[in-house]
Amino acid sequence: MGLKPDRWIKEMARKHRMIEPFVDQQVRDGAISYGVSSYGYDLRVSDEFKIFTNVRSAIVDPKHFASESFVDFRGDVCVIPPNSFVLSRSVEYFRIPRNVLTVCLGKSTYARCGLIVNVTPFEPEWEGYVTLEVSNTTPLPAKVYANEGLAQVLFFEADETCEQSYADKKGKYQGQTGVTPPRM
């Protein structure tokens, strides 16, 4: 990296428009923290949610996902039913450089409440809003707060660029703008 990790993230955000909007410091005042952290960036969850419901007794099939299994919700607080999950998206739009790969993990505040955040890696040259899956592993309803921190993105810079990037592959989730359910 050459630079200290937090300085590297700030430089990459400025140079490549890697994260927009970009918060160049950790914000905490009365919120679950977000912005630049020591070795990564804490992204925020938007106020757009797709709450999973099983009112139609559907089978979860990633090749033929039934869109009616979700209820759309927009608000400052989303309540996830017990033993269920929601999809949402990041507030931030990401543009990953060709020599960078990321891993995204849930914040400890939510993990300690039984909420697990699942996000796949952001591949080199992937861009878009991040679709976030938040699972409530508890037998009780659980809250997620919009426009506050949800997950931490860790950045890994390679010495060389990859032979084939996500953009080169024309990945099916490239440039996603909203909460994006499974695609085939």
mmCIF file of all heavy atoms in Angstrom, residues 53-95:
data_model
loop_
_atom_site.group_PDB
_atom_site.id
_atom_site.type_symbol
_atom_site.label_atom_id
_atom_site.label_comp_id
_atom_site.label_asym_id
_atom_site.label_seq_id
_atom_site.Cartn_x
_atom_site.Cartn_y
_atom_site.Cartn_z
ATOM 1 N N THR A 53 -40.720 -12.664 3.246
ATOM 2 C CA THR A 53 -41.930 -13.188 3.872
ATOM 3 C C THR A 53 -42.260 -14.528 3.225
ATOM 4 O O THR A 53 -41.949 -14.757 2.060
ATOM 5 C CB THR A 53 -43.116 -12.222 3.711
ATOM 6 O OG1 THR A 53 -44.268 -12.801 4.331
ATOM 7 C CG2 THR A 53 -43.439 -11.913 2.267
ATOM 8 N N ASN A 54 -42.883 -15.385 3.981
ATOM 9 C CA ASN A 54 -43.243 -16.695 3.451
ATOM 10 C C ASN A 54 -44.756 -16.885 3.451
ATOM 11 O O ASN A 54 -45.255 -17.965 3.709
ATOM 12 C CB ASN A 54 -42.554 -17.811 4.247
ATOM 13 C CG ASN A 54 -42.642 -19.140 3.527
ATOM 14 O OD1 ASN A 54 -42.832 -19.190 2.316
ATOM 15 N ND2 ASN A 54 -42.524 -20.218 4.269
ATOM 16 N N VAL A 55 -45.500 -15.835 3.165
ATOM 17 C CA VAL A 55 -46.961 -15.951 3.192
ATOM 18 C C VAL A 55 -47.489 -16.873 2.094
ATOM 19 O O VAL A 55 -48.562 -17.430 2.227
ATOM 20 C CB VAL A 55 -47.662 -14.573 3.102
ATOM 21 C CG1 VAL A 55 -47.234 -13.666 4.211
ATOM 22 C CG2 VAL A 55 -47.469 -13.926 1.769
ATOM 23 N N ARG A 56 -46.735 -17.047 1.028
ATOM 24 C CA ARG A 56 -47.187 -17.909 -0.073
ATOM 25 C C ARG A 56 -46.522 -19.290 -0.041
ATOM 26 O O ARG A 56 -46.593 -20.025 -1.020
ATOM 27 C CB ARG A 56 -46.924 -17.211 -1.402
ATOM 28 C CG ARG A 56 -47.800 -15.977 -1.572
ATOM 29 C CD ARG A 56 -47.575 -15.319 -2.915
ATOM 30 N NE ARG A 56 -48.425 -14.163 -3.057
ATOM 31 C CZ ARG A 56 -48.145 -12.966 -2.557
ATOM 32 N NH1 ARG A 56 -47.055 -12.770 -1.861
ATOM 33 N NH2 ARG A 56 -48.974 -11.954 -2.739
ATOM 34 N N SER A 57 -45.834 -19.610 1.047
ATOM 35 C CA SER A 57 -45.151 -20.897 1.205
ATOM 36 C C SER A 57 -44.255 -21.218 0.008
ATOM 37 O O SER A 57 -44.227 -22.342 -0.483
ATOM 38 C CB SER A 57 -46.171 -22.022 1.425
ATOM 39 O OG SER A 57 -46.895 -21.785 2.600
ATOM 40 N N ALA A 58 -43.534 -20.206 -0.442
ATOM 41 C CA ALA A 58 -42.630 -20.392 -1.578
ATOM 42 C C ALA A 58 -41.401 -21.192 -1.152
ATOM 43 O O ALA A 58 -41.088 -21.313 0.030
ATOM 44 C CB ALA A 58 -42.194 -19.030 -2.114
ATOM 45 N N ILE A 59 -40.720 -21.741 -2.118
ATOM 46 C CA ILE A 59 -39.438 -22.404 -1.895
ATOM 47 C C ILE A 59 -38.364 -21.439 -2.358
ATOM 48 O O ILE A 59 -38.467 -20.844 -3.441
ATOM 49 C CB ILE A 59 -39.366 -23.726 -2.683
ATOM 50 C CG1 ILE A 59 -40.390 -24.713 -2.118
ATOM 51 C CG2 ILE A 59 -37.957 -24.300 -2.648
ATOM 52 C CD1 ILE A 59 -40.516 -25.991 -2.909
ATOM 53 N N VAL A 60 -37.324 -21.265 -1.560
ATOM 54 C CA VAL A 60 -36.233 -20.379 -1.945
ATOM 55 C C VAL A 60 -35.388 -21.092 -2.988
ATOM 56 O O VAL A 60 -34.789 -22.126 -2.707
ATOM 57 C CB VAL A 60 -35.382 -19.975 -0.718
ATOM 58 C CG1 VAL A 60 -34.213 -19.109 -1.151
ATOM 59 C CG2 VAL A 60 -36.241 -19.250 0.301
ATOM 60 N N ASP A 61 -35.372 -20.547 -4.191
ATOM 61 C CA ASP A 61 -34.650 -21.141 -5.310
ATOM 62 C C ASP A 61 -33.853 -20.034 -6.000
ATOM 63 O O ASP A 61 -34.440 -19.155 -6.642
ATOM 64 C CB ASP A 61 -35.646 -21.775 -6.282
ATOM 65 C CG ASP A 61 -34.987 -22.465 -7.462
ATOM 66 O OD1 ASP A 61 -33.772 -22.263 -7.695
ATOM 67 O OD2 ASP A 61 -35.700 -23.195 -8.176
ATOM 68 N N PRO A 62 -32.520 -20.038 -5.886
ATOM 69 C CA PRO A 62 -31.739 -18.958 -6.484
ATOM 70 C C PRO A 62 -31.843 -18.884 -8.011
ATOM 71 O O PRO A 62 -31.611 -17.839 -8.588
ATOM 72 C CB PRO A 62 -30.301 -19.261 -6.056
ATOM 73 C CG PRO A 62 -30.296 -20.680 -5.636
ATOM 74 C CD PRO A 62 -31.692 -21.019 -5.208
ATOM 75 N N LYS A 63 -32.239 -19.985 -8.669
ATOM 76 C CA LYS A 63 -32.404 -19.954 -10.125
ATOM 77 C C LYS A 63 -33.764 -19.404 -10.545
ATOM 78 O O LYS A 63 -33.923 -18.952 -11.674
ATOM 79 C CB LYS A 63 -32.227 -21.358 -10.705
ATOM 80 C CG LYS A 63 -30.805 -21.842 -10.677
ATOM 81 C CD LYS A 63 -30.702 -23.163 -11.414
ATOM 82 C CE LYS A 63 -29.261 -23.596 -11.540
ATOM 83 N NZ LYS A 63 -29.160 -24.821 -12.358
ATOM 84 N N HIS A 64 -34.731 -19.488 -9.656
ATOM 85 C CA HIS A 64 -36.095 -19.029 -9.955
ATOM 86 C C HIS A 64 -36.655 -18.350 -8.704
ATOM 87 O O HIS A 64 -37.631 -18.836 -8.120
ATOM 88 C CB HIS A 64 -36.997 -20.200 -10.365
ATOM 89 C CG HIS A 64 -36.451 -21.006 -11.493
ATOM 90 N ND1 HIS A 64 -36.500 -20.588 -12.801
ATOM 91 C CD2 HIS A 64 -35.808 -22.196 -11.508
ATOM 92 C CE1 HIS A 64 -35.921 -21.495 -13.571
ATOM 93 N NE2 HIS A 64 -35.488 -22.480 -12.805
ATOM 94 N N PHE A 65 -36.046 -17.247 -8.319
ATOM 95 C CA PHE A 65 -36.465 -16.603 -7.078
ATOM 96 C C PHE A 65 -37.808 -15.907 -7.275
ATOM 97 O O PHE A 65 -37.990 -15.148 -8.229
ATOM 98 C CB PHE A 65 -35.414 -15.594 -6.607
ATOM 99 C CG PHE A 65 -35.599 -15.215 -5.173
ATOM 100 C CD1 PHE A 65 -35.033 -15.972 -4.162
ATOM 101 C CD2 PHE A 65 -36.364 -14.111 -4.823
ATOM 102 C CE1 PHE A 65 -35.213 -15.648 -2.832
ATOM 103 C CE2 PHE A 65 -36.547 -13.774 -3.492
ATOM 104 C CZ PHE A 65 -35.972 -14.548 -2.501
ATOM 105 N N ALA A 66 -38.752 -16.180 -6.392
ATOM 106 C CA ALA A 66 -40.094 -15.598 -6.470
ATOM 107 C C ALA A 66 -40.078 -14.191 -5.865
ATOM 108 O O ALA A 66 -39.949 -14.042 -4.657
ATOM 109 C CB ALA A 66 -41.085 -16.488 -5.730
ATOM 110 N N SER A 67 -40.180 -13.176 -6.717
ATOM 111 C CA SER A 67 -40.108 -11.792 -6.235
ATOM 112 C C SER A 67 -41.230 -11.470 -5.258
ATOM 113 O O SER A 67 -41.082 -10.582 -4.415
ATOM 114 C CB SER A 67 -40.120 -10.812 -7.408
ATOM 115 O OG SER A 67 -41.294 -10.968 -8.165
ATOM 116 N N GLU A 68 -42.334 -12.206 -5.332
ATOM 117 C CA GLU A 68 -43.434 -11.959 -4.385
ATOM 118 C C GLU A 68 -43.102 -12.457 -2.973
ATOM 119 O O GLU A 68 -43.889 -12.275 -2.047
ATOM 120 C CB GLU A 68 -44.751 -12.566 -4.875
ATOM 121 C CG GLU A 68 -44.755 -14.049 -5.055
ATOM 122 C CD GLU A 68 -44.297 -14.506 -6.444
ATOM 123 O OE1 GLU A 68 -43.854 -13.675 -7.256
ATOM 124 O OE2 GLU A 68 -44.383 -15.715 -6.705
ATOM 125 N N SER A 69 -41.917 -13.043 -2.808
ATOM 126 C CA SER A 69 -41.464 -13.439 -1.471
ATOM 127 C C SER A 69 -40.962 -12.247 -0.667
ATOM 128 O O SER A 69 -40.633 -12.389 0.502
ATOM 129 C CB SER A 69 -40.339 -14.485 -1.574
ATOM 130 O OG SER A 69 -40.838 -15.673 -2.147
ATOM 131 N N PHE A 70 -40.882 -11.077 -1.297
ATOM 132 C CA PHE A 70 -40.435 -9.865 -0.615
ATOM 133 C C PHE A 70 -41.557 -8.853 -0.511
ATOM 134 O O PHE A 70 -42.390 -8.734 -1.405
ATOM 135 C CB PHE A 70 -39.286 -9.199 -1.382
ATOM 136 C CG PHE A 70 -37.970 -9.905 -1.273
ATOM 137 C CD1 PHE A 70 -37.345 -10.387 -2.409
ATOM 138 C CD2 PHE A 70 -37.343 -10.065 -0.053
ATOM 139 C CE1 PHE A 70 -36.115 -11.017 -2.321
ATOM 140 C CE2 PHE A 70 -36.115 -10.695 0.044
ATOM 141 C CZ PHE A 70 -35.497 -11.172 -1.092
ATOM 142 N N VAL A 71 -41.538 -8.123 0.587
ATOM 143 C CA VAL A 71 -42.406 -6.968 0.766
ATOM 144 C C VAL A 71 -41.497 -5.744 0.751
ATOM 145 O O VAL A 71 -40.536 -5.678 1.516
ATOM 146 C CB VAL A 71 -43.168 -7.038 2.116
ATOM 147 C CG1 VAL A 71 -43.937 -5.759 2.378
ATOM 148 C CG2 VAL A 71 -44.082 -8.247 2.149
ATOM 149 N N ASP A 72 -41.760 -4.804 -0.143
ATOM 150 C CA ASP A 72 -40.962 -3.581 -0.215
ATOM 151 C C ASP A 72 -41.324 -2.665 0.935
ATOM 152 O O ASP A 72 -42.504 -2.494 1.265
ATOM 153 C CB ASP A 72 -41.191 -2.860 -1.541
ATOM 154 C CG ASP A 72 -40.609 -3.621 -2.725
ATOM 155 O OD1 ASP A 72 -39.667 -4.407 -2.524
ATOM 156 O OD2 ASP A 72 -41.097 -3.427 -3.849
ATOM 157 N N PHE A 73 -40.302 -2.058 1.538
ATOM 158 C CA PHE A 73 -40.492 -1.145 2.665
ATOM 159 C C PHE A 73 -39.455 -0.039 2.562
ATOM 160 O O PHE A 73 -38.298 -0.291 2.211
ATOM 161 C CB PHE A 73 -40.326 -1.889 3.993
ATOM 162 C CG PHE A 73 -40.354 -0.982 5.196
ATOM 163 C CD1 PHE A 73 -41.545 -0.454 5.664
ATOM 164 C CD2 PHE A 73 -39.175 -0.631 5.835
ATOM 165 C CE1 PHE A 73 -41.569 0.403 6.755
ATOM 166 C CE2 PHE A 73 -39.186 0.210 6.932
ATOM 167 C CZ PHE A 73 -40.384 0.730 7.392
ATOM 168 N N ARG A 74 -39.872 1.169 2.878
ATOM 169 C CA ARG A 74 -38.955 2.309 2.931
ATOM 170 C C ARG A 74 -39.195 3.018 4.259
ATOM 171 O O ARG A 74 -40.328 3.333 4.596
ATOM 172 C CB ARG A 74 -39.227 3.236 1.761
ATOM 173 C CG ARG A 74 -38.166 4.262 1.587
ATOM 174 C CD ARG A 74 -38.316 5.013 0.278
ATOM 175 N NE ARG A 74 -36.997 5.466 -0.080
ATOM 176 C CZ ARG A 74 -36.496 5.430 -1.283
ATOM 177 N NH1 ARG A 74 -37.202 4.969 -2.280
ATOM 178 N NH2 ARG A 74 -35.280 5.870 -1.510
ATOM 179 N N GLY A 75 -38.101 3.257 5.011
ATOM 180 C CA GLY A 75 -38.249 3.944 6.289
ATOM 181 C C GLY A 75 -36.937 4.062 7.034
ATOM 182 O O GLY A 75 -35.920 3.482 6.640
ATOM 183 N N ASP A 76 -36.957 4.825 8.118
ATOM 184 C CA ASP A 76 -35.756 5.061 8.929
ATOM 185 C C ASP A 76 -35.353 3.852 9.763
ATOM 186 O O ASP A 76 -34.192 3.727 10.147
ATOM 187 C CB ASP A 76 -35.979 6.253 9.867
ATOM 188 C CG ASP A 76 -36.097 7.558 9.107
ATOM 189 O OD1 ASP A 76 -35.551 7.650 7.990
ATOM 190 O OD2 ASP A 76 -36.733 8.488 9.624
ATOM 191 N N VAL A 77 -36.317 2.981 10.071
ATOM 192 C CA VAL A 77 -36.049 1.772 10.851
ATOM 193 C C VAL A 77 -36.786 0.622 10.176
ATOM 194 O O VAL A 77 -37.977 0.721 9.894
ATOM 195 C CB VAL A 77 -36.538 1.908 12.317
ATOM 196 C CG1 VAL A 77 -36.329 0.607 13.075
ATOM 197 C CG2 VAL A 77 -35.826 3.057 13.015
ATOM 198 N N CYS A 78 -36.065 -0.464 9.918
ATOM 199 C CA CYS A 78 -36.682 -1.660 9.353
ATOM 200 C C CYS A 78 -36.681 -2.735 10.431
ATOM 201 O O CYS A 78 -35.642 -2.994 11.046
ATOM 202 C CB CYS A 78 -35.902 -2.139 8.144
ATOM 203 S SG CYS A 78 -36.581 -3.656 7.420
ATOM 204 N N VAL A 79 -37.826 -3.344 10.668
ATOM 205 C CA VAL A 79 -37.924 -4.439 11.625
ATOM 206 C C VAL A 79 -37.887 -5.752 10.840
ATOM 207 O O VAL A 79 -38.739 -6.005 9.982
ATOM 208 C CB VAL A 79 -39.210 -4.328 12.470
ATOM 209 C CG1 VAL A 79 -39.338 -5.524 13.402
ATOM 210 C CG2 VAL A 79 -39.217 -3.023 13.260
ATOM 211 N N ILE A 80 -36.883 -6.559 11.160
ATOM 212 C CA ILE A 80 -36.723 -7.863 10.504
ATOM 213 C C ILE A 80 -37.450 -8.905 11.341
ATOM 214 O O ILE A 80 -37.189 -9.027 12.545
ATOM 215 C CB ILE A 80 -35.236 -8.249 10.384
ATOM 216 C CG1 ILE A 80 -34.441 -7.140 9.692
ATOM 217 C CG2 ILE A 80 -35.092 -9.569 9.622
ATOM 218 C CD1 ILE A 80 -32.951 -7.370 9.708
ATOM 219 N N PRO A 81 -38.368 -9.650 10.739
ATOM 220 C CA PRO A 81 -39.071 -10.685 11.495
ATOM 221 C C PRO A 81 -38.097 -11.724 12.069
ATOM 222 O O PRO A 81 -36.993 -11.899 11.555
ATOM 223 C CB PRO A 81 -39.994 -11.328 10.448
ATOM 224 C CG PRO A 81 -40.126 -10.306 9.367
ATOM 225 C CD PRO A 81 -38.810 -9.573 9.347
ATOM 226 N N PRO A 82 -38.515 -12.430 13.122
ATOM 227 C CA PRO A 82 -37.664 -13.484 13.695
ATOM 228 C C PRO A 82 -37.270 -14.518 12.644
ATOM 229 O O PRO A 82 -38.080 -14.872 11.783
ATOM 230 C CB PRO A 82 -38.553 -14.123 14.763
ATOM 231 C CG PRO A 82 -39.596 -13.100 15.059
ATOM 232 C CD PRO A 82 -39.797 -12.315 13.802
ATOM 233 N N ASN A 83 -36.027 -14.981 12.714
ATOM 234 C CA ASN A 83 -35.526 -16.029 11.823
ATOM 235 C C ASN A 83 -35.802 -15.733 10.351
ATOM 236 O O ASN A 83 -36.143 -16.626 9.580
ATOM 237 C CB ASN A 83 -36.125 -17.379 12.214
ATOM 238 C CG ASN A 83 -35.807 -17.719 13.646
ATOM 239 O OD1 ASN A 83 -34.644 -17.719 14.047
ATOM 240 N ND2 ASN A 83 -36.832 -17.964 14.445
ATOM 241 N N SER A 84 -35.655 -14.486 9.967
ATOM 242 C CA SER A 84 -35.888 -14.069 8.587
ATOM 243 C C SER A 84 -34.747 -13.168 8.144
ATOM 244 O O SER A 84 -33.727 -13.078 8.820
ATOM 245 C CB SER A 84 -37.241 -13.355 8.480
ATOM 246 O OG SER A 84 -37.585 -13.157 7.116
ATOM 247 N N PHE A 85 -34.926 -12.494 7.011
ATOM 248 C CA PHE A 85 -33.888 -11.603 6.528
ATOM 249 C C PHE A 85 -34.480 -10.485 5.683
ATOM 250 O O PHE A 85 -35.647 -10.543 5.285
ATOM 251 C CB PHE A 85 -32.826 -12.367 5.724
ATOM 252 C CG PHE A 85 -33.270 -12.827 4.357
ATOM 253 C CD1 PHE A 85 -32.994 -12.067 3.228
ATOM 254 C CD2 PHE A 85 -33.934 -14.029 4.188
ATOM 255 C CE1 PHE A 85 -33.386 -12.485 1.967
ATOM 256 C CE2 PHE A 85 -34.321 -14.465 2.943
ATOM 257 C CZ PHE A 85 -34.041 -13.681 1.821
ATOM 258 N N VAL A 86 -33.657 -9.476 5.431
ATOM 259 C CA VAL A 86 -34.015 -8.397 4.514
ATOM 260 C C VAL A 86 -32.870 -8.196 3.539
ATOM 261 O O VAL A 86 -31.719 -8.513 3.832
ATOM 262 C CB VAL A 86 -34.315 -7.050 5.218
ATOM 263 C CG1 VAL A 86 -35.479 -7.165 6.168
ATOM 264 C CG2 VAL A 86 -33.091 -6.495 5.900
ATOM 265 N N LEU A 87 -33.207 -7.680 2.380
ATOM 266 C CA LEU A 87 -32.214 -7.157 1.459
ATOM 267 C C LEU A 87 -32.319 -5.649 1.506
ATOM 268 O O LEU A 87 -33.417 -5.095 1.635
ATOM 269 C CB LEU A 87 -32.469 -7.632 0.024
ATOM 270 C CG LEU A 87 -32.323 -9.115 -0.273
ATOM 271 C CD1 LEU A 87 -32.574 -9.370 -1.760
ATOM 272 C CD2 LEU A 87 -30.963 -9.632 0.125
ATOM 273 N N SER A 88 -31.191 -4.993 1.410
ATOM 274 C CA SER A 88 -31.161 -3.543 1.306
ATOM 275 C C SER A 88 -29.999 -3.196 0.390
ATOM 276 O O SER A 88 -29.456 -4.062 -0.299
ATOM 277 C CB SER A 88 -31.006 -2.904 2.691
ATOM 278 O OG SER A 88 -31.183 -1.494 2.596
ATOM 279 N N ARG A 89 -29.627 -1.934 0.377
ATOM 280 C CA ARG A 89 -28.481 -1.518 -0.415
ATOM 281 C C ARG A 89 -27.688 -0.493 0.374
ATOM 282 O O ARG A 89 -28.184 0.101 1.337
ATOM 283 C CB ARG A 89 -28.896 -0.942 -1.762
ATOM 284 C CG ARG A 89 -29.577 0.405 -1.657
ATOM 285 C CD ARG A 89 -29.691 1.071 -3.025
ATOM 286 N NE ARG A 89 -30.389 2.333 -2.932
ATOM 287 C CZ ARG A 89 -29.814 3.501 -2.627
ATOM 288 N NH1 ARG A 89 -28.516 3.569 -2.375
ATOM 289 N NH2 ARG A 89 -30.538 4.607 -2.580
ATOM 290 N N SER A 90 -26.460 -0.284 -0.039
ATOM 291 C CA SER A 90 -25.627 0.721 0.607
ATOM 292 C C SER A 90 -26.073 2.113 0.194
ATOM 293 O O SER A 90 -26.660 2.308 -0.875
ATOM 294 C CB SER A 90 -24.160 0.518 0.213
ATOM 295 O OG SER A 90 -23.992 0.645 -1.185
ATOM 296 N N VAL A 91 -25.795 3.083 1.049
ATOM 297 C CA VAL A 91 -25.979 4.493 0.695
ATOM 298 C C VAL A 91 -24.912 4.875 -0.332
ATOM 299 O O VAL A 91 -25.166 5.635 -1.262
ATOM 300 C CB VAL A 91 -25.871 5.386 1.958
ATOM 301 C CG1 VAL A 91 -25.753 6.861 1.603
ATOM 302 C CG2 VAL A 91 -27.048 5.139 2.893
ATOM 303 N N GLU A 92 -23.721 4.289 -0.166
ATOM 304 C CA GLU A 92 -22.578 4.624 -0.995
ATOM 305 C C GLU A 92 -22.552 3.821 -2.297
ATOM 306 O O GLU A 92 -22.903 2.647 -2.324
ATOM 307 C CB GLU A 92 -21.263 4.358 -0.235
ATOM 308 C CG GLU A 92 -21.075 5.218 0.988
ATOM 309 C CD GLU A 92 -21.759 4.690 2.254
ATOM 310 O OE1 GLU A 92 -22.425 3.625 2.193
ATOM 311 O OE2 GLU A 92 -21.628 5.334 3.295
ATOM 312 N N TYR A 93 -22.113 4.488 -3.364
ATOM 313 C CA TYR A 93 -21.872 3.853 -4.655
ATOM 314 C C TYR A 93 -20.378 3.562 -4.723
ATOM 315 O O TYR A 93 -19.566 4.437 -4.436
ATOM 316 C CB TYR A 93 -22.283 4.806 -5.784
ATOM 317 C CG TYR A 93 -22.313 4.178 -7.156
ATOM 318 C CD1 TYR A 93 -23.484 3.632 -7.653
ATOM 319 C CD2 TYR A 93 -21.182 4.157 -7.963
ATOM 320 C CE1 TYR A 93 -23.536 3.061 -8.922
ATOM 321 C CE2 TYR A 93 -21.212 3.591 -9.230
ATOM 322 C CZ TYR A 93 -22.394 3.049 -9.697
ATOM 323 O OH TYR A 93 -22.440 2.484 -10.953
ATOM 324 N N PHE A 94 -20.005 2.336 -5.094
ATOM 325 C CA PHE A 94 -18.599 1.929 -5.124
ATOM 326 C C PHE A 94 -18.125 1.731 -6.559
ATOM 327 O O PHE A 94 -18.863 1.195 -7.396
ATOM 328 C CB PHE A 94 -18.399 0.618 -4.350
ATOM 329 C CG PHE A 94 -18.490 0.782 -2.862
ATOM 330 C CD1 PHE A 94 -19.723 0.821 -2.221
ATOM 331 C CD2 PHE A 94 -17.342 0.909 -2.093
ATOM 332 C CE1 PHE A 94 -19.808 0.985 -0.854
ATOM 333 C CE2 PHE A 94 -17.425 1.067 -0.721
ATOM 334 C CZ PHE A 94 -18.657 1.110 -0.100
ATOM 335 N N ARG A 95 -16.884 2.141 -6.823
ATOM 336 C CA ARG A 95 -16.174 1.873 -8.078
ATOM 337 C C ARG A 95 -14.830 1.252 -7.675
ATOM 338 O O ARG A 95 -13.955 1.956 -7.187
ATOM 339 C CB ARG A 95 -15.932 3.153 -8.863
ATOM 340 C CG ARG A 95 -17.157 3.786 -9.433
ATOM 341 C CD ARG A 95 -16.822 5.126 -10.125
ATOM 342 N NE ARG A 95 -18.037 5.813 -10.481
ATOM 343 C CZ ARG A 95 -18.741 6.596 -9.656
ATOM 344 N NH1 ARG A 95 -18.317 6.816 -8.422
ATOM 345 N NH2 ARG A 95 -19.846 7.179 -10.061
#
